[in-house]
Amino acid sequence: MSLLEVKNLGIHFGGLRAVDGFNVSIEQGSLYGLIGPNGAGKTTVFNLLTGVYQPTAGTFFLDGENLTGHSTMEISHRGIARTFQNIRLFTKMSVLDNVKVGLHRHVKYSLASGIFRLPSYFRDEQELNERARKLLEVFDLYGEKDFLASNLPYGKQRKLEIARALATSPKLLLLDEPAAGMNPNETAELMETIRFVRDEFNMTILLIEHDMKLVSGICEEITVLNFGQMLAQGKPSDVLNDPKVVVAYLGE
Amino acid sequence: MKQLLSKKNLFLLAVIAVIYAVLFALDAQGFFSRQAKALLVPIGINIILAVSLSLIVGFLGELSLGHAGFMSVGAYTGCMLTVNLDLPMYIELPLAMLMGGIVAAIFGVIIGIPALRLRGDYLAIVTLAFGEIIRSIFNNLSVVGGSGGLNGIPKYSNYTIVYIMLVITIIVITNLVNSRHGRAICSIRDNKIAAESMGIPVVYYKLLAFVVAAFFAGIAGVLYGHNLGILKPSTFDFNKSIEILVMVVMGGMGSIPGSVIAALLITVLPEILRGLQDYRMLIYAVVLIVMMLLNNNAKFNSFKQRVFSKKAKKQGADLAKEGE
Ligand SMILES: Nc1ncnc2c1ncn2[C@@H]1O[C@H](COP(=O)(O)OP(=O)(O)OP(=O)(O)O)[C@@H](O)[C@H]1O
Ligand SMILES: [Mg+2]
């Protein structure tokens, strides 16, 4: 049984079929790519898998559990975390606090503990700081832990989003164009980090990318979307040579 | 225990004690004129109101125009209790504050529920309507004296009690904000969708912010009633809510010390500048507009950070380095 099993998932906005008949199954520990031209429906797939949109057709399972129709919060609790194409950090909070929000459910002292500063507050805050430090160090962000998130340079904001998503201890991590706006050096470095995260945390990652070369470099399998439809699916080398895919990307 | 007795906390405790000692000594020396002394309790009450509202406006990021409503619910509950009970003050007053706070908190839930669905302007209108409805109910409720007011409330409030309550309010709200629960509240303000994606129970934390804020507003109301000895529905009108909001906004929204200072200024200034009484609402409006414009001004924000935060200074330097 694969970790993520998506069956015939679809949504339409009025007349527009943004995603239609989407099928995929992703094995535990794999790095999977989702590509396609602008407006193909990639982000919409993420919004469906995280309960931001409710599908008008189809179902999806994580670890055998049907998550269709669950709220965003419930899906997060069940183990899907994501980043956003248009970065959504907690801008007026520090870098450290951003990650600590991600850890919210994993170190839980009570409201009374927080207000009256009972011993569990100090113990748990220390654990929170420690766990947040480890995550920030993976992304080389610990030096900036006291910065406001909005004051980080763009590339680091993208990394902080990944760190924050990992803090929720997900089973599946969804990354929406993590390298957008980065220069080639930063991109190469980020891809290394993503591979490292997969190996280190034994994480399963579904990644949206525009750049086909980049995806084929690190993903074991990819799916190509075009106008909400699946165009091709399989090993990068096969898929990227598929004439249909070439046409969709380069035009007739 | 060790952490509770940290240097920082001992220092804070010392500051709290010194402020009180100074107040007490000045009072004992007959330093305060009658008018000045009469201001001490209202200052404290307004600080409690501003700090509690800042939890909703500054940290949860929702606009509430009904804080005077919560205050009045607490005030009437607490004062009805002391008027009808015949117990010593040291039992009656704490009981009144507790009940006033709890009943106001229940109204906090009732108002918090639409807050789950509504945002921004719509929620502001709901809270505004709530304040007005509560006021007209008290206006027409003969058990609590109707528009003539509730009379014969024992004058229990004094600056010692108010000082204790304001210290408790500040500590509770500061500690709340600096805990995992407070971080959850702030994350909703900064980005609701991201907060949900991080598994934050948004519903629970929105309600929590409203409940805690209403609880302390209720206590402030009880202290208010026991200061004047009479409660009139007309004191808890829209203007009062706006006044509290102005304190929070002037204090920089999301800054508790800022709210405290603004509450102090806004209570004291009109008394000093008697001649400006007539222009009070006009001045509030101007302050609101100016602060909103400034808060949304990038240059002013970076200026503020440079001035107020050492961290920001370091940050600025680091960023500059990176830019090179
Ligand atoms: N909430 C919505 N209401 C109406 N239409 C929507 C909504 N969300 C997405 N769409 C439409 O669905 C289509 C797919 O959008 P989506 O954002 O998923 O594309 P994408 O593949 O992520 O594109 P890009 O590469 O530009 O990020 C687009 O035509 C978009 O306009
Ligand atoms: Mg997209």
Side-chain angles (χ1 to χ4, degrees):
Chain A
M1 180 99 198
S2 356
L3 181 78
L4 179 73
E5 197 79 53
V6 181
K7 286 183 188 146
N8 206 25
L9 203 64
I11 186 171
H12 52 82
F13 301 107
L16 175 77
R17 296 189 168 279
V19 173
D20 196 19
F22 184 74
N23 286 293
V24 78
S25 65
I26 301 180
E27 297 302 324
Q28 156 68 36
S30 62
L31 237 165
Y32 199 107
L34 182 59
I35 65 171
N38 276 328
K42 306 178 297 290
T43 300
T44 305
V45 168
F46 275 21
N47 284 335
L48 288 170
L49 292 178
T50 52
V52 174
Y53 297 155
Q54 293 301 335
T56 45
T59 48
F60 64 99
F61 298 80
L62 185 76
D63 234 356
E65 188 182 2
N66 189 346
L67 295 186
T68 326
H70 284 52
S71 72
T72 304
M73 178 188 80
E74 286 163 346
I75 288 175
S76 159
H77 295 179
R78 299 296 195 288
I80 301 183
R82 74 178 288 187
T83 65
F84 297 87
Q85 183 172 359
N86 49 339
I87 304 175
R88 288 176 177 271
L89 285 169
F90 305 128
T91 45
K92 291 185 199 135
M93 300 172 74
S94 72
V95 167
L96 186 72
D97 281 350
N98 267 268
V99 176
K100 282 162 90 175
V101 171
L103 291 164
H104 184 83
R105 274 173 40 82
H106 301 289
V107 184
K108 7 164 77 163
Y109 52 84
S110 67
L111 185 60
S113 246
I115 289 178
F116 302 113
R117 297 282 142 110
L118 305 181
S120 60
Y121 166 84
F122 295 100
R123 199 183 51 229
D124 288 355
E125 278 293 314
Q126 202 177 355
E127 188 188 337
L128 276 167
N129 287 333
E130 195 50 32
R131 286 175 72 164
R133 181 178 64 78
K134 284 193 187 127
L135 282 166
L136 286 172
E137 277 172 350
V138 169
F139 296 90
D140 202 16
L141 282 169
Y142 193 65
E144 285 107 328
K145 73 177 163 64
D146 294 322
F147 283 33
L148 287 187
S150 56
N151 286 353
L152 283 180
Y154 190 77
K156 292 193 172 186
Q157 294 197 9
R158 288 225 172 266
K159 288 186 183 176
L160 176 57
E161 257 206 327
I162 303 177
R164 183 183 68 175
L166 279 175
T168 65
S169 308
K171 293 174 186 163
L172 172 68
L173 180 61
L174 310 178
L175 303 177
D176 198 343
E177 303 201 19
M182 291 187 177
N183 66 35
N185 282 337
E186 289 173 322
T187 306
E189 190 207 342
L190 179 73
M191 289 304 144
E192 267 319 300
T193 314
I194 289 175
R195 222 193 301 253
F196 174 82
V197 165
R198 194 267 303 265
D199 298 340
E200 182 75 10
F201 298 87
N202 189 22
M203 187 60 58
T204 313
I205 299 175
L206 172 58
L207 170 116
I208 293 177
E209 238 333 311
H210 247 90
D211 186 340
M212 286 206 289
K213 274 209 208 86
L214 201 149
V215 177
S216 54
I218 72 166
C219 293
E220 287 115 22
E221 245 187 301
I222 55 180
T223 292
V224 185
L225 273 183
N226 195 25
F227 295 115
Q229 309 276 339
M230 287 172 35
L231 206 57
Q233 193 162 55
K235 295 223 172 330
S237 51
D238 301 339
V239 168
L240 298 183
N241 291 323
D242 189 322
K244 278 185 301 196
V245 176
V246 176
V247 169
Y249 258 84
L250 302 176
E252 304 283 341
Chain B
M1 211 53 212
K2 230 184 288 161
Q3 292 106 329
L4 275 182
L5 294 178
S6 68
K7 262 191 198 143
K8 199 176 138 218
N9 285 354
L10 288 175
F11 175 73
L12 282 177
L13 202 65
V15 169
I16 292 168
V18 165
I19 292 177
Y20 183 73
V22 168
L23 268 179
F24 189 81
L26 288 177
D27 186 32
Q29 295 293 315
F31 175 82
F32 294 120
S33 66
R34 231 173 44 116
Q35 288 100 321
K37 197 169 169 191
L39 267 182
L40 292 178
V41 170
I43 289 172
I45 290 172
N46 279 342
I47 290 176
I48 297 176
L49 288 167
V51 170
S52 58
L53 182 63
S54 81
L55 186 61
I56 297 179
V57 176
F59 296 100
L60 180 63
E62 295 286 8
L63 186 54
S64 170
L65 298 177
H67 219 50
F70 296 131
M71 182 190 178
S72 68
V73 170
Y76 274 97
T77 308
C79 294
M80 282 300 282
L81 217 83
T82 48
V83 167
N84 290 305
L85 287 181
D86 200 10
L87 295 167
M89 172 215 176
Y90 62 87
I91 300 179
E92 254 186 23
L93 186 62
L95 193 66
M97 287 196 286
L98 187 66
M99 286 313 294
I102 289 174
V103 174
I106 292 170
F107 278 82
V109 177
I110 297 171
I111 287 305
I113 288 171
L116 305 175
R117 304 194 155 273
L118 303 172
R119 258 202 98 82
D121 344 351
Y122 296 102
L123 178 66
I125 290 167
V126 168
T127 53
L128 189 157
F130 158 73
E132 292 302 298
I133 290 169
I134 289 291
R135 190 166 61 86
S136 54
I137 289 177
F138 285 133
N139 237 332
N140 294 300
L141 209 62
S142 52
V143 228
V144 297
S147 59
L150 179 64
N151 291 294
I153 305 162
K155 293 195 178 185
Y156 289 152
S157 293
N158 57 47
Y159 69 82
T160 305
I161 292 168
V162 172
Y163 188 70
I164 293 171
M165 290 320 295
L166 91 85
V167 168
I168 292 176
T169 308
I170 293 174
I171 291 178
V172 166
I173 294 192
T174 308
N175 283 355
L176 171 63
V177 166
N178 294 316
S179 71
R180 64 190 275 270
H181 307 284
R183 283 192 295 268
I185 290 173
C186 293
S187 75
I188 298 168
R189 169 197 67 196
D190 282 1
N191 200 309
K192 180 161 165 278
I193 290 187
E196 282 171 343
S197 304
M198 293 295 111
I200 300 296
V202 170
V203 171
Y204 170 78
Y205 281 111
K206 274 190 172 179
L207 279 181
L208 180 70
F210 269 90
V211 165
V212 173
F215 178 79
F216 285 107
I219 288 180
V222 176
L223 291 168
Y224 176 86
H226 290 89
N227 185 46
L228 289 186
I230 175 168
L231 280 181
K232 284 201 167 175
S234 57
T235 27
F236 305 104
D237 61 356
F238 178 59
N239 290 349
K240 181 66 190 172
S241 291
I242 289 290
E243 187 181 77
I244 308 167
L245 181 68
V246 170
M247 294 171 191
V248 176
V249 173
M250 202 172 130
M253 291 215 273
S255 158
I256 291 172
S259 298
V260 172
I261 293 168
L264 181 83
L265 288 178
I266 287 189
T267 323
V268 173
L269 282 183
E271 299 298 326
I272 297 176
L273 311 169
R274 276 277 173 196
L276 290 180
Q277 274 292 19
D278 294 344
Y279 302 102
R280 198 157 154 162
M281 288 317 285
L282 180 70
I283 294 172
Y284 289 167
V286 172
V287 167
L288 266 182
I289 293 170
V290 169
M291 287 304 296
M292 286 302 185
L293 288 177
L294 283 178
N295 274 334
N296 281 323
N297 182 305
K299 271 194 193 136
F300 176 74
N301 278 329
S302 65
F303 168 76
K304 205 167 67 178
Q305 277 186 6
R306 270 205 309 279
V307 174
F308 288 113
S309 151
K310 276 181 214 144
K311 261 180 216 158
K313 263 182 207 159
K314 182 178 166 298
Q315 210 164 316
D318 288 356
L319 279 180
K321 239 182 272 159
E322 226 159 79
E324 280 161 15

